[in-house]
Amino acid sequence: MKFKYDIYTRTTMVYYNNLLSIHGKSLDYAKNKCAADMKLYFGNKKVKLKKFSGYTWKQPSDLIVNKDNAICYVGGDWGAGLPTGKIVKILKNGKKYSVSYDMNMKDTLTNTYYRYMGRLKITLKKAKNKNGFVITDIKRVRTENVNI
């Protein structure tokens, strides 16, 4: 699938982590509820969602959308599979870090990995927050042909 790192992707990443508490709620409620996480992970509170265009998606930022001024998840049920990953390598370049992160599907019932999905390169910048960094960029550098 396509992957583009932008304001829609950042919003979706944080909103997905808070989905149980914001699904069906107003956009203002979600924005206030997730503001601290947006600031922590990305260094600002700016959010933006795509408009609802049916229960389909082509990229991760299409999973959580604005449907009649409310939060709507259009991705379906993952079942026993859960996307997860692990850090493979961290390189330091001045005040920035480059993190290689491998993504896999994990069966939560058997606790086994069953599908390699690809690798992300995540760029981090030092920040004065509890994590010590903010995410400045994410690129997909290796992709396997997978159907999710």
Side-chain angles (χ1 to χ4, degrees), residues 3-20:
F3 181 83
K4 180 181 178 185
Y5 180 75
D6 58 12
I7 185 66
Y8 297 106
T9 303
R10 292 190 300 268
T11 303
T12 301
M13 290 170 69
V14 169
Y15 280 22
Y16 187 80
N17 277 344
N18 293 282
L19 193 57
L20 292 176

Side-chain angles (χ1 to χ4, degrees), residues 7-141:
I7 185 66
Y8 297 106
T9 303
R10 292 190 300 268
T11 303
T12 301
M13 290 170 69
V14 169
Y15 280 22
Y16 187 80
N17 277 344
N18 293 282
L19 193 57
L20 292 176
S21 63
I22 65 172
H23 187 268
K25 302 279 177 49
S26 75
L27 297 180
D28 287 338
Y29 176 84
K31 185 176 182 178
N32 289 331
K33 174 89 174 155
C34 299
D37 286 350
M38 290 298 294
K39 180 79 172 159
L40 176 65
Y41 294 119
F42 303 108
N44 64 56
K45 297 177 183 179
K46 187 176 179 181
V47 297
K48 197 164 188 177
L49 290 172
K50 295 182 180 179
K51 297 276 186 200
F52 178 77
S53 62
Y55 288 93
T56 61
W57 55 281
K58 293 181 181 170
Q59 60 185 356
S61 61
D62 297 337
L63 287 171
I64 299 174
V65 296
N66 172 357
K67 183 179 181 188
D68 301 325
N69 203 32
I71 301 298
C72 180
Y73 175 68
V74 298
D77 186 355
W78 288 96
L82 177 69
T84 186
K86 65 180 178 180
I87 295 171
V88 177
K89 183 181 0 176
I90 302 173
L91 298 174
K92 185 177 181 184
N93 185 11
K95 290 187 176 185
K96 292 192 175 189
Y97 293 84
S98 177
V99 178
S100 294
Y101 185 82
D102 277 352
M103 300 176 301
N104 297 282
M105 285 297 281
K106 182 178 184 179
D107 185 321
T108 58
L109 299 175
T110 62
N111 204 29
T112 58
Y113 297 96
Y114 64 91
R115 184 182 299 143
Y116 178 73
M117 297 170 64
R119 180 170 288 174
L120 296 174
K121 178 184 171 189
I122 305 167
T123 304
L124 307 173
K125 182 175 85 173
K126 283 189 173 191
K128 293 183 179 182
N129 64 24
K130 72 178 184 179
N131 288 343
F133 65 86
V134 293
I135 299 168
T136 60
D137 193 25
I138 301 174
K139 288 186 177 24
R140 193 170 221 173
V141 293

